[in-house]
Amino acid sequence: MSETASTRTPLSPTPRSSLTRSKERGRTDRAELDAVLDAGMVCHLGVVRNGSPVVIPTIYGRDGDTLFLHGSTGSPNMRAAMAHDVSLTVTHVDGIVYARSAMHFSMNYRSAVIHARPVELTDPDERMHALRVIVEQTAPGAWDAVRPPNKKEMAATLVLAVDLTEASVKVRTGGPRDEQADIDTGGVWAGVLPLRQLFDAPIPAADLEAGVEIPAHVRRRCSDTAAAV
Amino acid sequence: MSETASTRTPLSPTPRSSLTRSKERGRTDRAELDAVLDAGMVCHLGVVRNGSPVVIPTIYGRDGDTLFLHGSTGSPNMRAAMAHDVSLTVTHVDGIVYARSAMHFSMNYRSAVIHARPVELTDPDERMHALRVIVEQTAPGAWDAVRPPNKKEMAATLVLAVDLTEASVKVRTGGPRDEQADIDTGGVWAGVLPLRQLFDAPIPAADLEAGVEIPAHVRRRCSDTAAAV
């Protein structure tokens, strides 16, 4: 994370990570990839099993130019992720674009698509670090407040590292791009309906003992809706 | 959509649509699939290109046991979607589950995973119907208010039908499932931080002429945050 933009590989460095459609939405600055990944908690991981793709939602964490995934050692999807290249996508929907014609309806969004061959981490310290990164991406500030994984839990967990070199980012912002003829005709409302996610008030567990207050790292999130993904 | 539950194929009818992990989260009632799909606007479509998976976000529309996709006739991903089976996933994240130990952190979510070989629609009426379904899923009430696709636009558009027979649904709700030893130790806050999406006030297009009011089908959405995906 200490690398400067100038020393990092630009986005879309390979044919399969290069955009073929709506190229004007493509970004090249790696900081834009970081921003899309850091604003998310769930990615859609595409693996190939028996020749067919399987797309599953899963949590992740980013550390520099590496993204970490985890799963059960018995997970066929995680096993498949080590046997073939995967595609991994994070998408934020920011609004619905209402146009004057059906074909110009669109979405405002930010999305990142990664191509990589995940690698299993075997070093205990690296594995523990990766799990910390994943938990902190999902629940910032939580790792130090809870019991860390024990040996039995670690033994049942597969931790994968995904190199972020082969990545593309697409972003659409702004209003509809209507045909001039439809604009001239007029009479149809056009614009954007913004969409965002926010956190509601936390719900304590049914088995939480009395007297345990909601910690600052949770409280902070509820009020900070601007930072919500 | 007029079929009753009893005449419809249950979910997870094939090995690749059957759950291998967290089976207790699996659902069998096809109405649960309808609900997950109808609450969404963007799916993650996994296709295979040159032997590697590619996962892209795209809008869709459901009509009964069929899901429609569209894209440019020049889109390599859409072309790939007709050449091989695809996987197509819709996910709603409903909350972050804070546990007393790192390994029990989780998400509350609803997700549907479809496996199918998309089929290109060629009949003009079927194609127009599919585009209506897609626009209405993204922007309910909008189709009749805007200019429909013309011949040139239709010629540039690929419309695919995805059969929903081979589908699985997973749902997680509720609080953390902590180890009894961690509950007994106590002192750690545990619970759920709910997450939801909502629509903000609509933003008229910069080129919208004066006097065109925000239509009821857009206004209705903003106030109805309960229906937000």
Side-chain angles (χ1 to χ4, degrees):
Chain A
M1 288 211 271
S2 59
E3 289 181 292
T4 61
S6 61
T7 65
R8 299 172 74 192
T9 311
L11 295 176
S12 301
T14 60
R16 69 177 176 177
S17 61
S18 296
L19 305 179
T20 55
R21 310 299 310 170
S22 304
K23 293 181 188 177
E24 75 285 357
R25 298 180 189 169
R27 303 299 167 102
T28 54
D29 186 350
R30 200 154 273 272
E32 302 232 32
L33 173 67
D34 299 348
V36 170
L37 296 178
D38 292 356
M41 294 184 293
V42 170
C43 66
H44 281 82
L45 173 68
V47 301
V48 174
R49 283 175 61 187
N50 302 318
S52 296
V54 180
V55 177
I56 51 163
T58 187
I59 61 173
Y60 67 91
R62 183 186 75 89
D63 183 16
D65 290 330
T66 304
L67 189 142
F68 297 116
L69 303 174
H70 80 313
S72 162
T73 51
S75 162
N77 289 324
M78 286 292 146
R79 290 280 155 202
M82 296 188 290
H84 301 277
D85 284 3
V86 305
S87 178
L88 187 153
T89 299
V90 174
T91 304
H92 307 285
V93 179
D94 295 325
I96 300 162
V97 182
Y98 285 74
R100 295 162 178 91
S101 68
M103 292 310 286
H104 283 292
F105 268 69
S106 190
M107 309 288 273
N108 281 338
Y109 63 91
R110 294 160 285 146
S111 71
V113 178
I114 318 296
H115 295 272
R117 174 73 60 95
V119 175
E120 181 178 1
L121 294 185
T122 54
D123 179 81
D125 292 343
E126 286 183 7
R127 283 160 50 82
M128 190 64 84
H129 171 73
L131 293 176
R132 171 193 279 265
V133 169
I134 294 170
V135 167
E136 285 289 307
Q137 174 119 14
T138 307
W143 181 269
D144 288 333
V146 303
R147 176 178 62 75
N150 58 32
K151 278 192 179 175
K152 187 182 158 195
E153 290 169 337
M154 290 301 279
T157 304
L158 194 65
V159 184
L160 302 181
V162 176
D163 183 273
L164 293 175
T165 300
E166 214 177 336
S168 61
V169 170
K170 275 176 102 167
V171 177
R172 191 200 189 281
T173 59
R177 327 265 197 260
D178 273 308
E179 303 296 327
Q180 190 58 48
D182 294 323
I183 297 172
D184 293 343
T185 302
V188 178
W189 188 83
V192 173
L193 186 56
L195 187 63
R196 69 186 156 100
Q197 281 190 296
L198 59 75
F199 295 106
D200 282 317
I203 302 166
D207 55 13
L208 184 67
E209 71 270 26
V212 180
E213 288 192 5
I214 299 166
H217 65 265
V218 177
R219 280 203 316 271
R220 194 180 306 130
R221 236 173 159 185
C222 311
S223 55
D224 186 11
T225 54
V229 293
Chain B
M1 289 211 269
S2 59
E3 289 180 292
T4 61
S6 60
T7 65
R8 299 172 74 193
T9 311
L11 296 176
S12 300
T14 59
R16 68 178 178 179
S17 62
S18 297
L19 306 179
T20 54
R21 310 298 309 171
S22 305
K23 293 180 189 177
E24 76 285 358
R25 297 180 189 170
R27 303 300 167 101
T28 54
D29 186 349
R30 199 155 272 273
E32 301 232 31
L33 173 68
D34 299 346
V36 170
L37 296 178
D38 292 355
M41 293 183 294
V42 169
C43 66
H44 280 83
L45 173 69
V47 301
V48 173
R49 283 176 59 188
N50 303 317
S52 296
V54 180
V55 177
I56 52 162
T58 188
I59 62 172
Y60 67 90
R62 182 186 76 88
D63 182 15
D65 290 330
T66 304
L67 190 143
F68 297 116
L69 304 173
H70 79 313
S72 163
T73 51
S75 161
N77 289 324
M78 286 292 147
R79 290 278 156 204
M82 294 188 291
H84 300 277
D85 284 3
V86 304
S87 177
L88 188 154
T89 299
V90 173
T91 305
H92 307 284
V93 179
D94 296 322
I96 300 163
V97 181
Y98 285 73
R100 295 162 177 92
S101 69
M103 293 309 287
H104 284 292
F105 269 70
S106 189
M107 309 289 272
N108 282 338
Y109 63 92
R110 293 159 288 148
S111 71
V113 179
I114 317 296
H115 295 273
R117 174 72 61 93
V119 175
E120 181 179 1
L121 294 185
T122 54
D123 178 81
D125 291 342
E126 284 183 7
R127 282 159 51 80
M128 190 65 83
H129 172 72
L131 292 176
R132 172 193 279 265
V133 168
I134 294 170
V135 168
E136 285 289 306
Q137 174 121 12
T138 307
W143 181 269
D144 288 333
V146 304
R147 176 178 65 72
N150 59 32
K151 278 193 178 175
K152 185 181 161 195
E153 290 169 336
M154 289 303 277
T157 304
L158 194 63
V159 184
L160 303 182
V162 176
D163 183 273
L164 294 175
T165 300
E166 215 176 336
S168 61
V169 170
K170 275 175 103 167
V171 177
R172 191 201 188 279
T173 60
R177 326 265 197 262
D178 273 308
E179 303 296 326
Q180 190 58 48
D182 294 322
I183 297 172
D184 293 343
T185 300
V188 177
W189 188 84
V192 173
L193 186 56
L195 186 63
R196 68 186 159 102
Q197 281 190 295
L198 59 77
F199 296 106
D200 282 319
I203 302 166
D207 55 14
L208 183 66
E209 71 269 25
V212 180
E213 288 192 5
I214 299 166
H217 65 266
V218 176
R219 279 203 317 271
R220 194 180 306 132
R221 241 174 154 183
C222 313
S223 55
D224 186 11
T225 54
V229 294

